Amino acid sequence: MKTAMNEQQFQAHINQVFDAYAQPDNYVRMVDLTRVAPIEALSAEDDGTLAVLKVRLKFIAPLSSAVTAVIDPDKITWVQTHTIDRASATERIAFKPDHYEKMLDFKGGHARYEEVSPDRTRRTLQGTFGIKGIPFFVRGAVEGAIASGLEDYYAEEAGQFQGFIAAG
């Protein structure tokens, strides 16, 4: 199993950060991502306390020949379900692969939101996953590529969401 982690800092009140991440259009508006193709919003519900949204992502980072020998890069797509709970300042992130469901073992992830000051918020993410059913000497390369891609994506995501928050 591999764990991907990322810490994001926002120059914004915690409620502004919650609201930005609860808006599916913000995921669609992200541009120039290096590891993920343009994101597709699938659904969203928000009652003011709990927001649930689903988005589809496609991994586009370069992969080694060892990885592409066992995985078709065009089939590395998945649906992420984000459940943002404003009351507990947490977010659950569930990953459901569109392909390779038996091979990709996503345990899911979570985020914790912390109000560092009235105008500064920290979002700490962690996700755990593994690869099954392929030789161990390739497994590490696949897990490493996915972990690196997710960490890079979340770093890029933070910068773009900061822009969305600042633009109001």
Side-chain angles (χ1 to χ4, degrees), residues 5-119:
M5 299 180 70
N6 188 273
E7 183 177 289
Q8 302 169 328
Q9 300 283 338
F10 298 94
Q11 296 298 316
H13 187 272
I14 193 168
N15 289 333
Q16 292 174 289
V17 178
F18 286 144
D19 292 344
Y21 275 96
Q23 292 297 320
D25 291 346
N26 285 339
Y27 290 88
V28 174
R29 292 172 48 199
M30 288 195 291
V31 295
D32 299 325
L33 299 172
T34 60
R35 304 289 185 152
V36 174
I39 296 171
E40 176 187 359
L42 302 176
S43 67
E45 297 176 27
D46 188 349
D47 68 8
T49 301
L50 193 68
V52 180
L53 61 113
K54 291 183 181 185
V55 293
R56 175 169 282 114
L57 292 90
K58 179 180 185 341
F59 192 75
I60 59 168
L63 298 169
S64 72
S65 59
V67 174
T68 58
V70 294
I71 292 182
D72 178 351
D74 290 331
K75 291 185 176 181
I76 306 176
T77 62
W78 66 97
V79 172
Q80 281 184 196
T81 301
H82 297 260
T83 304
I84 301 167
D85 184 340
R86 291 174 174 94
S88 66
T90 60
E91 176 180 356
R92 285 189 324 272
I93 306 168
F95 298 85
K96 183 174 183 339
D98 291 322
H99 309 278
Y100 304 114
E101 194 164 357
K102 292 182 180 178
M103 183 186 297
L104 299 173
D105 184 15
F106 285 106
K107 298 295 184 196
H110 63 276
R112 184 172 50 87
Y113 294 79
E114 179 184 0
E115 185 176 15
V116 178
S117 69
D119 62 349

